[in-house]
Amino acid sequence: MASSSTFNPHPPPPKPSSTHFPKTPPLLAHTLQTPPKTLTHQDPKLIITGGATLSGHVPISGSKNSALPILAATLCCSGQTKLKNVPNLFDTRSMLSILESLGAEVEVFGGEVVVSTDGVRSVEPCEGEIGKIRGGFLVIGPLLGRFGEAVVGLPGGCDIGARPVDLHIRGLRALGASVDCRDGKVIAHASNGKGLVGGRFRLDYPSVGATETLMMAACMADGMTVLSNVAQEPEVIDLAHFLMDTGACVEGAGTDKLLIKGRRKLHDSEYSIIPDRIEAGTFMLAAAITRSCITMSPIVPSHLSCLINKLVTAGCKISQCTPDALEFSAVPAKSRDGLHGFDVRTSPFPGFPTDLQPQTMALLTTCQGLSVVEESVFENRMNHVTEMQKFGPRIQVRGSTALVFGKDSGRLYGSRVAASDLRGGVSLVLAGLAAQGTTEVNGIAHIDRGYENFEMKLRLLGADVKRLTIPP
């Protein structure tokens, strides 16, 4: 085992509030409330009066699913790393707390984050923070790669199905790590007592998290690593670009095979996070379900080509204003015109994203005809259907497949519903926007985990949405 004489196996107490994001950019500073860290009876809720037409421009925040692994990857780097376009979210704040618990110094200036890891003196992050978010487990890769050992608690996150870490563990073993699981923790060290070594590993499934963990670990392993059947998501490519910006040698990002030549040391960097494709897709679906026309930027259209193709087939019109801006319209040309339903099967990129499945189902309840939604990524990603049915649509679930009978089965009516996960919760908000009457969405701390200033952006587009906090 690598020497632990320079490390404190127990994390130091968190530093003072230097990592706290400002509550919001100046434009929205008068209304944002910081989301709670735990879900309690005091969680805020959204009150939505449906029927409003949306218009105007919505700014798209940086990608949560890029920011989390890139923040973890700063542990690979010496010196100070400056990240731009980091979204102010519960999950990103939790990841910053995880880095601080290891001894990193973190400063936040608006949407910019500066991380210095030269003071890291622990390889065991705060177990409480790790348990809050799924992405916290990603630090195991850079810790093993740079320091030769890591002790990381099992991750938290949304309850949308089994997301085991076995692929992470088996891949790390292929890079020369000895890995054990006990007492709710993954305990790993380099078997040779020095550091990881290059190896070959084929993922049984193109897991985004496992691909990111192994990529970070391999960047500092001795020798060449070949990873096959890897994830090809834009967020994986973004992580690879960040690592290459720090001196790593990574080839094949965006394909199903990565070739990584390990480096002994990676340097500091300044890097900007890509726009959040899931947020952009959610606002497209918000415009579609309200039959509205909006513009949005920044956006990378190729990251959403599967959703865009489906929405165009349904009858929406999408035009590119600038290289990073789109106009999206679902306004019917005639009063009798409507959007047509379509079928969806989720799959890894470039397939239809599972993170947009619940929101798409909300839209399909307002479209003409029968639509079939098949979930092939997470087995519990139909949990939102029970709540969505309270709006009145006819939806039948058979295992991982849902039959959505569309507007022919009746219109949506406002209801009192509760979010049980991030994307499912947002789908209920979209349904509320289209429903007749008032909707109350509880449990929105789930939504705060992945959408920056969500209801503020909806209000800027003309939606009648307000946040209420239940008094203690």
Side-chain angles (χ1 to χ4, degrees):
M1 180 174 180
S3 172
S4 59
S5 60
T6 59
F7 292 103
N8 176 4
H10 301 289
K15 297 180 185 292
S17 58
S18 62
T19 65
H20 288 182
F21 281 90
K23 288 187 176 180
T24 183
L27 175 65
L28 304 174
H30 59 290
T31 49
L32 181 66
Q33 301 175 33
T34 302
K37 290 191 175 183
T38 58
L39 305 184
T40 73
H41 67 284
Q42 298 180 30
D43 285 342
K45 59 184 176 182
L46 291 181
I47 305 298
I48 306 165
T49 302
T53 299
L54 307 184
S55 63
H57 180 82
V58 60
I60 303 301
S61 299
S63 169
K64 173 185 84 93
N65 291 335
S66 272
L68 294 179
I70 289 176
L71 284 170
T74 61
L75 291 168
C76 296
C77 309
S78 302
Q80 286 191 338
T81 299
K82 183 177 183 179
L83 301 178
K84 300 180 180 180
N85 204 31
V86 179
N88 175 9
L89 302 168
F90 175 86
D91 281 22
T92 50
R93 291 191 293 272
S94 294
M95 180 62 87
L96 293 179
S97 295
I98 289 169
L99 296 178
E100 282 189 314
S101 75
L102 294 166
E105 294 183 0
V106 180
E107 294 181 281
V108 177
F109 308 93
E112 297 184 356
V113 176
V114 177
V115 181
S116 175
T117 62
D118 289 342
V120 170
R121 291 294 180 267
S122 172
V123 293
E124 182 174 358
C126 174
E127 188 174 359
E129 295 295 337
I130 289 287
K132 292 178 181 178
I133 60 171
R134 178 72 184 175
F137 189 76
L138 293 170
V139 299
I140 194 171
L143 286 175
L144 263 176
R146 183 174 177 184
F147 304 114
E149 57 183 324
V151 180
V152 182
L154 293 174
C158 287
D159 183 15
I160 55 175
R163 293 186 283 180
V165 296
D166 62 303
L167 283 178
H168 303 246
I169 292 172
R170 288 166 47 208
L172 292 172
R173 286 172 176 160
L175 299 181
S178 174
V179 187
D180 295 309
C181 298
R182 60 178 181 266
D183 300 326
K185 299 178 181 180
V186 178
I187 303 169
H189 65 272
S191 299
N192 62 11
K194 299 178 181 179
L196 298 180
V197 295
R200 303 180 70 92
F201 184 70
R202 177 179 175 82
L203 281 74
D204 297 336
Y205 179 85
S207 160
V208 172
T211 299
E212 292 168 341
T213 292
L214 299 178
M215 186 195 310
M216 290 185 281
C219 279
M220 304 196 77
D222 182 17
M224 180 69 72
T225 295
V226 179
L227 303 174
S228 55
N229 196 33
V230 298
Q232 303 173 47
E233 272 72 2
E235 296 79 14
V236 173
I237 299 173
D238 205 29
L239 173 62
H241 287 167
F242 168 75
L243 289 168
M244 288 187 284
D245 206 48
T246 67
C249 182
V250 182
E251 297 180 10
T255 73
D256 65 352
K257 181 181 287 189
L258 292 174
L259 296 112
I260 304 166
K261 184 177 181 181
R263 303 288 194 198
R264 181 170 298 179
K265 185 177 182 180
L266 301 182
H267 56 72
D268 54 0
S269 174
E270 184 173 313
Y271 191 80
S272 184
I273 306 293
I274 60 172
D276 195 315
R277 64 187 174 110
I278 304 302
E279 183 191 24
T282 298
F283 277 103
M284 287 184 189
L285 292 163
I289 202 169
T290 57
R291 306 303 191 262
S292 302
C293 179
I294 65 173
T295 60
M296 62 184 69
S297 69
I299 180 174
V300 183
S302 61
H303 292 176
L304 281 166
S305 57
C306 194
L307 174 66
I308 289 173
N309 292 338
K310 292 287 187 181
L311 292 175
V312 169
T313 300
C316 300
K317 296 180 180 179
I318 303 174
S319 56
Q320 192 161 349
C321 309
T322 67
D324 69 344
L326 289 182
E327 180 182 78
F328 181 94
S329 177
V331 178
K334 300 178 181 178
S335 60
R336 66 177 181 275
D337 291 343
L339 299 183
H340 301 281
F342 50 87
D343 296 341
V344 167
R345 183 181 188 276
T346 65
S347 61
F349 191 86
F352 197 91
T354 180
D355 280 354
L356 287 173
Q357 179 261 103
Q359 304 93 304
T360 301
M361 186 184 295
L363 168 64
L364 293 174
T365 65
T366 70
C367 294
Q368 297 174 354
L370 173 67
S371 301
V372 180
V373 178
E374 183 180 355
E375 175 59 52
S376 69
V377 178
F378 295 124
E379 70 272 18
N380 289 344
R381 197 138 230 182
M382 294 292 180
N383 286 347
H384 64 284
V385 172
T386 300
E387 294 299 294
M388 189 170 291
Q389 288 170 330
K390 294 179 180 179
F391 291 96
R394 185 182 172 198
I395 306 173
Q396 294 181 356
V397 177
R398 301 172 182 173
S400 61
T401 300
L403 305 178
V404 185
F405 288 86
K407 65 183 299 183
D408 298 336
S409 63
R411 65 175 305 164
L412 304 183
Y413 294 91
S415 182
R416 178 180 295 174
V417 293
S420 61
D421 64 76
L422 169 56
R423 309 303 177 183
V426 170
S427 75
L428 302 177
V429 175
L430 298 194
L433 293 175
Q436 177 179 316
T438 300
T439 293
E440 176 182 311
V441 182
N442 293 279
I444 64 168
H446 289 291
I447 298 172
D448 292 330
R449 289 186 46 243
Y451 290 87
E452 185 177 40
N453 305 330
F454 185 53
E455 77 273 11
M456 313 306 155
K457 292 180 180 181
L458 286 174
R459 282 213 296 269
L460 286 175
L461 294 174
D464 189 343
V465 182
K466 59 183 178 181
R467 175 184 290 242
L468 295 181
T469 300
I470 304 172

